[in-house]
């Protein structure tokens, strides 16, 4: 079992990062920490996709004589696109957090819910 985990350490690391990010999103009440948790979760997903796309002995998809195993560039392109989308969503989320703080004076989710039910 330990031998299997040592050969698949990228998968273990990806799932640990995903678990940490998910814990921050679900377990913390601060909105900024939730946005940070989403970014950590997203990084774990990126690591998982890149690790899953790895091909032992694979070469770049440029046709040359003697090369039989090629690596698909699609997962890498998808992750680059996801990084750009993730940065944009983080910017929007932090902008909303700033607006919420200016309006209500707090970033705690439970306090915001209480304020909402009081109105």
């Amino acid at each position: 079992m330990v031998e299997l985990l040592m050969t698949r350490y990228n998968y273990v690391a990806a799932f640990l990062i995903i678990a940490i990010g998910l814990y921050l999103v679900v377990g913390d009440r601060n909105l900024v920490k939730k946005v940070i948790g989403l970014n950590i979760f997203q990084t774990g997903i990126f690591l998982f996709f890149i690790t899953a796309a790895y091909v032992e002995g694979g070469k770049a998809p440029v046709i040359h004589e003697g090369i039989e195993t090629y690596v698909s560039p699609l997962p890498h392109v998808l992750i680059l696109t996801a990084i750009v989308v993730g940065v944009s969503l983080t910017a929007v989320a932090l902008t909303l957090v700033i607006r919420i703080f200016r309006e209500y004076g707090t970033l705690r989710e439970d306090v915001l819910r209480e304020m909402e039910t009081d109105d």
Side-chain angles (χ1 to χ4, degrees), residues 9-56:
Y9 61 90
N10 284 351
Y11 290 105
V12 173
F15 287 120
L16 282 175
I17 293 170
I18 289 170
I20 291 168
L22 188 62
Y23 174 76
L24 281 173
V25 170
V26 174
D28 208 310
R29 300 200 191 290
N30 189 315
L31 294 179
V32 174
K33 290 180 183 178
K34 284 184 180 283
V35 172
I36 292 170
L38 282 173
N39 283 327
I40 293 171
F41 183 83
Q42 181 180 17
T43 302
I45 297 294
F46 295 161
L47 178 61
F48 175 74
F49 270 93
I50 294 298
T51 300
Y54 176 74
V55 175
E56 184 75 35

Side-chain angles (χ1 to χ4, degrees), residues 70-99:
Y70 294 103
V71 177
S72 174
L74 184 62
H76 301 86
V77 172
L78 289 173
I79 295 304
L80 284 174
T81 304
I83 289 170
V84 172
V85 171
V87 168
S88 301
L89 287 175
T90 301
V92 170
L94 290 175
T95 303
L96 288 172
V97 166
I98 290 170
R99 295 278 298 166

Side-chain angles (χ1 to χ4, degrees), residues 1-9 12:
M1 179 68 172
V2 174
E3 209 172 289
L4 179 65
L5 290 176
M6 292 306 292
T7 59
R8 305 288 185 202
Y9 61 90
V12 173

Side-chain angles (χ1 to χ4, degrees), residues 92-112:
V92 170
L94 290 175
T95 303
L96 288 172
V97 166
I98 290 170
R99 295 278 298 166
I100 288 169
F101 182 74
R102 286 183 182 163
E103 183 72 25
Y104 296 103
T106 186
L107 293 177
R108 291 194 47 93
E109 182 181 22
D110 53 346
V111 175
L112 291 169

